[in-house]
Amino acid sequence: MTRPIIGRVESGQRRSPGAPDPERNGPQAGTAPVPGTARIAVDLLGGDQAPAVVVDGALRACQTDPALTLLLVGPVEAVGTVLAALPTDEHHRVRSLPGPYPRDTTRAAVHAVAEGLADAVVSAGDTGAIVTSAALAMGRWPGVRRPPLAAVLPSAAGRLLLLDVGSSVDPDERTLAMHAHLGAAYAASVHGVATPRVGLLTIGTEPGKGDRLRRAAPELLAGLDLPADARYVGLVEGDDVVSGAVADVVVTDGFSGNILLKALEMAYATIGTPGPGEPPPRAAVLLGVGGTVVVCHGAASGRDIAAGIGLAANLHRRGAIPVIAGLIQGKEIPRTQEVVHEQ
Amino acid sequence: MTRPIIGRVESGQRRSPGAPDPERNGPQAGTAPVPGTARIAVDLLGGDQAPAVVVDGALRACQTDPALTLLLVGPVEAVGTVLAALPTDEHHRVRSLPGPYPRDTTRAAVHAVAEGLADAVVSAGDTGAIVTSAALAMGRWPGVRRPPLAAVLPSAAGRLLLLDVGSSVDPDERTLAMHAHLGAAYAASVHGVATPRVGLLTIGTEPGKGDRLRRAAPELLAGLDLPADARYVGLVEGDDVVSGAVADVVVTDGFSGNILLKALEMAYATIGTPGPGEPPPRAAVLLGVGGTVVVCHGAASGRDIAAGIGLAANLHRRGAIPVIAGLIQGKEIPRTQEVVHEQ
């Protein structure tokens, strides 16, 4: 495949003038957060080392962002640990939802946003539980069957959006097409990328390569009317996710996306990050549901949790999720002749 | 999942005393090659930048390994370029098979080995063409339906074998089970790993995670009688491929394996290699067919081609493929109740 190069500019030039950049305003970026309060529901029991790392992350986030308030969802003991570490005159910034929960803390934290008790939710809990709770409590946007998790990776050329990274296993090509819409809208509205380039991850860029799904999807993707003047640039490969030279948004299924994300994050943590600037938060944003949901790794550190909270707060302050919803409104996925069963 | 730690030792200690190490004797390792001639068939027209990089790789391999002879399969012009660059008293080391070919140079190079004209073949051509040609011309071993491509990756703990990296897309769990047998035998006989640890690549190590294939495969894999005292260590994730801490052999389908391989190779090329020692050759070995077949990337450099030729030569000299065949002889894959269709 000949890769289109029309309109390709350096990462630093691709941002629309004056475009907001929520990811650069989080605790990891070191710059001032966007003004305005943000009430973040935090799942204290999500993650392999909960509640300890979540408590640590919540405290770090409070210290970084004075306009942040937290709704801590979990055991009173963990809430007490957070309060004990905060000066008394900041205790008003912490509220808690100690239970009883509708099944678990992950679900309760998601429901708190759906019920208006918080503006966004952050959890390092089970991905399936987060996605299912969010879909049920917040609703899915029209045309979204499998809300994808979108992760931002550093690349040699700048930031790159990879989706899905764990929500949609065994998807069909229509689900990949919606991932393309959602990813394009995110890159445009959150990363401020003008005319985002959207690629489909596969093996070998010649037509006919890849598995059943990847042989079925390109025709559908090529025919999409993507939001925000995004362009489908065709098939991309694993190395393109590292170089960032070909696409700003890389679409794949949740299985291959999760494997790739975890491997690259470990590689970058071990030997260093490609590209300019500070690495983005190691957290993923759930797209296609009616609320702001940030998912951290089960193995997240306190620093990762804090970065996730910062990302959630700034996405809320920028109104990112409603903007994305507006951008993909009316973006239908054409029906194809061939039916691939999604099980 | 609790990962077994019994018997885990450092990478450097895991090698059996006196075990041979073909990958360390190639042109990349800088040590003396194993004695003995090796006749390598080289596909001059395989790869994105063929024949130029293949000619370059062939010349590098000749310079590194004086006991190497080449069977160059491709246009007379390219053969002439190789000969012109070699001293006249070394021209006897180069033979050629200029055509007409049974369809293409890739197939002709594979056939040359099947017909006894060469000891091993190296190609950067189309993976599907190489695998199909090899299966037809050399035959598949009993029980092998989808011969996998096995790639060696550097990891923080030493070398790690990843298979399949591009041959078996949409496999079933019985194919993954045979990958486990073949990978275990390779790690034991080529890497000299005592009791290789074999893991299944997936997303999340709790039971029930992953896609349909990954939910079906663990029961079958756990019941295998793996060769060379290898142990199935259960589910592993993308980060484990970088750390190398959990498994010596990582089994997956050719789609996710190829994406992961290409991404990590690009990451390591961009920002550096994890772990000790020189990086292994960027080439994959086809397992489960009756001959020594090394596959280089379509985007291979001359250096990569030379490393692939060195790997092929040393695998041949060590008798690696027959040893692996012996180790997996009689290793049946139990029939399961559930039938997953392989299409």
Side-chain angles (χ1 to χ4, degrees):
Chain A
M1 200 199 71
T2 304
R3 287 164 171 162
I5 54 164
I6 298 160
R8 278 171 57 183
V9 289
E10 287 305 304
S11 165
Q13 303 174 262
R14 290 186 57 77
R15 167 167 300 278
S16 306
D21 189 356
E23 284 158 12
R24 289 292 185 238
N25 279 325
Q28 290 219 335
T31 55
V34 182
T37 59
R39 304 166 303 152
I40 310 299
V42 177
D43 173 11
L44 285 175
L45 293 185
D48 301 342
Q49 294 171 68
V53 295
V54 185
V55 166
D56 178 45
L59 286 168
R60 287 172 181 264
C62 277
Q63 283 158 8
T64 308
D65 182 350
L68 190 72
T69 69
L70 298 179
L71 178 68
L72 301 177
V73 184
V76 287
E77 296 78 12
V79 175
T81 310
V82 173
L83 288 173
L86 279 179
T88 313
D89 64 353
E90 294 200 16
H91 282 196
H92 69 278
R93 297 174 60 194
V94 175
R95 288 180 171 72
S96 68
L97 200 64
Y101 309 118
R103 208 167 110 186
D104 56 37
T105 54
T106 300
R107 194 171 154 191
V110 170
H111 275 258
V113 176
E115 291 159 13
L117 300 175
D119 302 315
V121 56
V122 175
S123 175
D126 178 76
T127 302
I130 299 166
V131 175
T132 305
S133 301
L136 288 173
M138 300 172 168
R140 292 172 296 177
W141 297 342
V144 176
R145 290 186 300 172
R146 305 278 200 99
L149 284 164
V152 183
L153 276 165
S155 83
R159 283 172 299 174
L160 178 141
L161 192 73
L162 178 68
L163 77 169
D164 173 38
V165 296
S167 167
S168 62
V169 295
D170 300 316
D172 67 9
E173 69 270 31
R174 293 173 56 80
T175 295
L176 294 187
M178 184 51 80
H179 293 358
H181 277 319
L182 293 164
Y186 188 99
S189 60
V190 178
H191 291 171
V193 178
T195 63
R197 301 162 301 170
V198 179
L200 174 67
L201 188 61
T202 188
I203 61 172
T205 50
E206 306 85 1
K209 289 273 188 177
D211 59 2
R212 277 192 297 276
L213 175 62
R214 259 48 68 148
R215 293 193 300 271
E219 192 181 340
L220 182 62
L221 288 168
L224 291 179
D225 172 29
L226 290 170
D229 294 325
R231 294 177 299 118
Y232 174 63
V233 296
L235 304 173
V236 303
E237 299 193 67
D239 48 331
D240 298 318
V241 175
V242 176
S243 75
V246 180
D248 305 296
V249 177
V250 172
V251 169
T252 194
D253 66 287
F255 184 83
S256 62
N258 184 278
I259 284 172
L260 184 56
L261 175 71
K262 284 181 178 154
L264 286 180
E265 286 193 339
M266 175 60 90
Y268 298 157
T270 306
I271 50 181
T273 304
E278 274 188 79
R282 302 205 303 168
V285 182
L286 187 64
L287 297 177
V289 298
T292 303
V293 180
V294 170
V295 179
C296 294
H297 291 239
S301 66
R303 202 182 159 86
D304 292 332
I305 299 281
I309 293 172
L311 174 60
N314 283 293
L315 287 171
H316 165 68
R317 286 167 174 147
R318 305 282 190 181
I321 298 297
V323 166
I324 294 168
L327 283 172
I328 73 147
Q329 203 164 25
K331 295 292 180 186
E332 302 284 332
I333 311 292
R335 288 263 160 214
T336 46
Q337 289 297 101
E338 186 186 3
V339 175
V340 174
H341 293 288
E342 182 163 15
Q343 288 170 0
Chain B
M1 200 200 69
T2 304
R3 285 164 172 164
I5 54 164
I6 299 160
R8 277 172 57 183
V9 288
E10 287 306 303
S11 165
Q13 302 174 264
R14 291 186 55 78
R15 169 168 298 279
S16 306
D21 189 354
E23 284 161 10
R24 288 294 185 237
N25 279 323
Q28 291 221 334
T31 55
V34 182
T37 60
R39 303 168 304 154
I40 310 299
V42 177
D43 173 9
L44 284 175
L45 292 186
D48 301 342
Q49 293 171 65
V53 295
V54 185
V55 165
D56 178 46
L59 286 168
R60 287 171 182 263
C62 276
Q63 283 158 7
T64 308
D65 181 349
L68 191 72
T69 69
L70 298 179
L71 178 67
L72 301 178
V73 183
V76 287
E77 296 77 11
V79 176
T81 311
V82 173
L83 288 173
L86 279 179
T88 313
D89 62 355
E90 294 199 18
H91 282 196
H92 69 279
R93 295 173 61 193
V94 175
R95 286 180 172 71
S96 67
L97 201 63
Y101 311 116
R103 208 166 107 187
D104 55 38
T105 56
T106 300
R107 193 172 157 191
V110 170
H111 275 259
V113 176
E115 290 160 14
L117 300 175
D119 301 316
V121 57
V122 175
S123 175
D126 179 75
T127 302
I130 298 166
V131 174
T132 305
S133 300
L136 288 173
M138 300 171 169
R140 292 172 296 177
W141 297 343
V144 176
R145 289 186 301 173
R146 303 278 200 100
L149 283 165
V152 183
L153 275 165
S155 83
R159 283 172 299 174
L160 179 142
L161 192 73
L162 178 68
L163 76 169
D164 172 41
V165 297
S167 166
S168 60
V169 294
D170 300 317
D172 66 8
E173 69 270 32
R174 294 172 55 78
T175 295
L176 293 188
M178 184 51 80
H179 292 358
H181 277 319
L182 293 164
Y186 188 99
S189 61
V190 177
H191 291 171
V193 179
T195 63
R197 301 162 302 170
V198 179
L200 175 66
L201 188 63
T202 188
I203 60 171
T205 51
E206 305 86 0
K209 290 272 189 178
D211 59 1
R212 279 191 297 275
L213 176 61
R214 260 48 68 148
R215 294 193 299 272
E219 192 182 339
L220 182 63
L221 288 168
L224 291 180
D225 171 29
L226 290 170
D229 294 325
R231 294 177 300 118
Y232 174 63
V233 297
L235 304 174
V236 303
E237 299 193 68
D239 49 332
D240 298 317
V241 176
V242 176
S243 75
V246 180
D248 306 297
V249 177
V250 172
V251 169
T252 194
D253 66 286
F255 185 83
S256 62
N258 184 277
I259 284 172
L260 184 56
L261 176 72
K262 283 181 179 154
L264 286 179
E265 286 192 339
M266 176 60 92
Y268 298 157
T270 306
I271 51 181
T273 305
E278 275 187 78
R282 302 206 302 170
V285 182
L286 186 65
L287 298 177
V289 298
T292 303
V293 180
V294 169
V295 179
C296 294
H297 292 239
S301 65
R303 202 182 159 88
D304 292 331
I305 300 281
I309 293 172
L311 174 60
N314 284 290
L315 288 171
H316 165 68
R317 287 166 174 147
R318 304 282 191 181
I321 298 299
V323 166
I324 294 168
L327 284 171
I328 74 146
Q329 202 164 27
K331 295 291 180 187
E332 300 287 330
I333 311 292
R335 287 264 159 214
T336 45
Q337 288 297 100
E338 187 185 4
V339 175
V340 174
H341 294 286
E342 183 164 14
Q343 291 170 354

